[in-house]
């Protein structure tokens, strides 16, 4: 029986920009979305959980065994978007146990250089040749029909989702999630891609979260650490102000947003949904939804043009923009 998710409007607003276009339970952290974690284990009773509750492997195992009142010693909740990358190492480890326990990985080709192979799991259809994979610091999970091209150097903890592609020579550090049907290249560290997004070229992305249907142009990079190594501030939609988030925070990019070649994002930059960002200079710290953010000024992205452009990007992956999506984006546009 599907889980009943309890949505808290305060938490939903705080998890901007990712909660603009999805329920909180559809946020991806680790290998799976929150909803997928709970629904991975069938529950034979009507149970309600908070939509921002990230269950541990032990809790889900207890549920599977009929103990729906089991409580983790330190239950994990997300209340801010930067916690998605902060908690991603823990979440990958929990999901890895959940998905792989009692199962066998596909054989790893002998052309690869492997450290700690028992901590690596390949689903059916994975293509991976002549790569360096180090799972000594955390598990590595490669989803069904994903491709890790030759020359890639990856370290756990890492999740590469179904149908995703990691481009030649990519350097990926933990704790990173490349969501389903994403394209990843260049240098990536401690970042989460939700799904269907692209960073196909060189450039650095660190301590960041990228929503769905985003595209980072060639050479796009972000700062994740201030030059004085001081505290980073980021936009908090819940308070309408910048708040201190710690010493590291990169780019938090909402769905359907894009950057052009050589775009540079400042430390702790938050972009809303459907932004077109280009031109020289550091971008940020807050780029509202439907921004046409150029080299000298930011104007409003015309709605019809935005919808046309989103439809074009979705066609590249053989998907089509649905009426429900257009209606949702119209609501965001009118209320932003």
């Amino acid at each position: 029986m599907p889980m009943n998710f309890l949505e808290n409007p305060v938490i939903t607003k705080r998890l901007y920009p990712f909660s603009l276009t999805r329920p909180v339970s559809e946020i991806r952290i680790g290998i799976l979305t929150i909803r997928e974690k709970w629904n991975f284990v069938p529950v034979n009773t009507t149970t309600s959980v908070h939509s921002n509750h990230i269950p541990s492997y032990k809790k889900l195992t207890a549920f599977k065994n009929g103990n729906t009142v089991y409580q983790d010693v330190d239950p994990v909740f997300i209340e801010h978007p930067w916690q998605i990358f902060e908690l991603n190492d823990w979440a990958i480890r929990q999901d890895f146990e959940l998905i792989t326990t009692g199962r066998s990985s596909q054989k790893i080709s002998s052309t690869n250089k492997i450290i700690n192979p028992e901590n690596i799991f390949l689903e059916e259809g994975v293509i991976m040749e002549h790569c360096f994979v180090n799972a000594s610091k955390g598990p590595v999970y490669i989803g069904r029909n994903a491709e890790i091209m030759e020359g890639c150097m990856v370290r756990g903890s890492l999740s590469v989702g179904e149908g995703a592609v990691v481009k030649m020579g990519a350097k990926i550090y933990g704790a990173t999630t490349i969501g389903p049907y994403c394209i990843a290249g260049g240098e990536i560290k401690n970042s989460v891609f939700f799904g269907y997004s692209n960073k196909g070229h060189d450039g650095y992305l660190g301590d960041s979260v990228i929503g769905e249907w985003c595209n980072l142009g060639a050479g796009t990079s972000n700062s994740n650490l201030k030059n004085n190594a001081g505290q980073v501030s980021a936009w908090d939609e819940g308070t309408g102000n910048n708040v201190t988030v710690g010493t590291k925070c990169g780019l938090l990019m909402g769905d359907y947003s894009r950057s052009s070649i050589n775009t540079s994002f400042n430390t702790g930059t938050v972009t809303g949904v459907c932004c077109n960002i280009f031109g020289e200079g550091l971008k940020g710290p807050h780029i509202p939804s439907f921004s046409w953010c150029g080299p000298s000024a930011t104007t409003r992205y015309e709605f019809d043009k935005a919808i046309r452009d989103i439809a074009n990007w979705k066609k590249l992956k053989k998907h089509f923009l649905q009426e429900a999506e257009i209606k949702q984006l119209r609501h965001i546009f009118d209320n932003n």
Side-chain angles (χ1 to χ4, degrees):
M1 180 178 294
M3 192 69 66
N4 178 39
F5 291 97
L6 304 175
E7 295 279 344
N8 182 326
V10 174
I11 298 299
T12 298
K13 192 168 186 179
R14 285 179 185 168
L15 285 166
Y16 166 97
F18 308 109
S19 55
L20 279 175
T21 45
R22 61 178 53 75
V24 170
S25 60
E26 297 297 341
I27 286 175
R28 185 174 302 279
I29 178 171
I31 300 172
L32 305 169
T33 66
I34 298 172
R35 180 182 297 277
E36 287 170 342
K37 298 175 200 297
W38 287 104
N39 289 346
F40 198 91
V41 176
V43 178
N44 296 319
T45 184
T46 302
T47 306
S48 296
V49 297
H50 293 287
S51 61
N52 64 327
H53 183 188
I54 317 299
S56 70
Y57 170 69
K58 287 183 178 180
K59 185 173 184 71
L60 290 173
T61 301
F63 266 59
K64 183 178 180 180
N65 294 330
N67 182 4
T68 58
V69 297
Y70 174 89
Q71 295 296 320
D72 285 318
V73 175
D74 296 305
V76 175
F77 297 84
I78 55 168
E79 297 186 357
H80 303 283
W82 46 87
Q83 291 177 310
I84 297 170
F85 69 78
E86 289 176 343
L87 295 169
N88 200 46
D89 177 71
W90 178 86
I92 288 175
R93 293 171 189 271
Q94 302 304 307
D95 288 350
F96 187 84
E97 284 197 78
L98 180 68
I99 292 172
T100 66
T101 296
R103 301 177 63 218
S104 297
S105 168
Q106 298 296 304
K107 184 179 179 181
I108 302 173
S109 169
S110 61
T111 68
N112 299 290
K113 181 67 175 179
I114 302 297
I115 301 175
N116 206 23
E118 62 273 16
N119 218 17
I120 300 170
F121 193 96
L122 275 57
E123 295 283 5
E124 183 179 351
V126 169
I127 299 173
M128 186 173 73
E129 303 284 352
H130 298 286
C131 295
F132 298 84
V133 185
N134 183 350
S136 64
K137 302 297 183 182
V140 174
Y141 174 83
I142 313 295
R144 183 183 299 271
N145 297 326
E147 180 175 6
I148 316 298
M149 292 184 176
E150 55 273 21
C152 289
M153 296 178 286
V154 302
R155 294 172 62 95
S157 54
L158 171 68
S159 168
V160 178
E162 179 177 352
V165 175
V166 180
K167 301 288 284 293
M168 288 193 302
K171 296 180 289 186
I172 303 182
Y173 302 83
T176 292
T177 296
I178 308 299
Y181 303 99
C182 286
I183 298 174
E187 183 179 5
I188 303 171
K189 172 248 178 188
N190 192 197
S191 296
V192 177
F193 289 76
F194 281 10
Y196 298 96
S197 289
N198 303 323
K199 181 198 176 298
H201 305 284
D202 286 342
Y204 175 72
L205 187 77
D207 301 288
S208 297
V209 184
I210 307 298
E212 291 189 342
W213 300 106
C214 297
N215 189 74
L216 304 181
T220 292
S221 291
N222 77 275
S223 168
N224 64 331
L225 178 69
K226 295 179 70 171
N227 282 353
N228 61 7
Q231 293 291 307
V232 178
S233 294
W235 178 258
D236 175 27
E237 186 74 8
T239 61
N241 294 295
N242 288 327
V243 299
T244 300
V245 303
T247 57
K248 287 195 175 182
C249 184
L251 172 64
L252 306 172
M253 176 177 276
D255 293 0
Y256 309 112
S257 288
R258 303 177 297 278
S259 69
S260 69
I261 60 170
N262 296 327
T263 302
S264 298
F265 288 99
N266 212 340
T267 321
T269 291
V270 178
T271 85
V273 305
C274 199
C275 297
N276 190 27
I277 304 159
F278 58 98
E280 69 275 4
L282 283 170
K283 303 301 180 183
H286 177 218
I287 302 172
S289 297
F290 288 93
S291 288
W292 184 274
C293 186
S296 58
T298 297
T299 57
R300 187 77 156 153
Y301 203 158
E302 294 180 24
F303 184 77
D304 290 344
K305 290 183 178 179
I307 294 302
R308 176 203 64 192
D309 295 345
I310 291 171
N312 288 340
W313 277 101
K314 296 195 78 167
K315 285 178 185 177
L316 293 177
K317 298 197 178 190
K318 297 180 173 56
H319 281 250
F320 299 93
L321 190 60
Q322 304 298 314
E323 285 299 321
E325 294 174 284
I326 297 173
K327 184 177 180 180
Q328 181 185 59
L329 290 169
R330 181 83 240 187
H331 176 80
I332 296 170
F333 184 87
D334 290 341
N335 292 277
N336 181 48

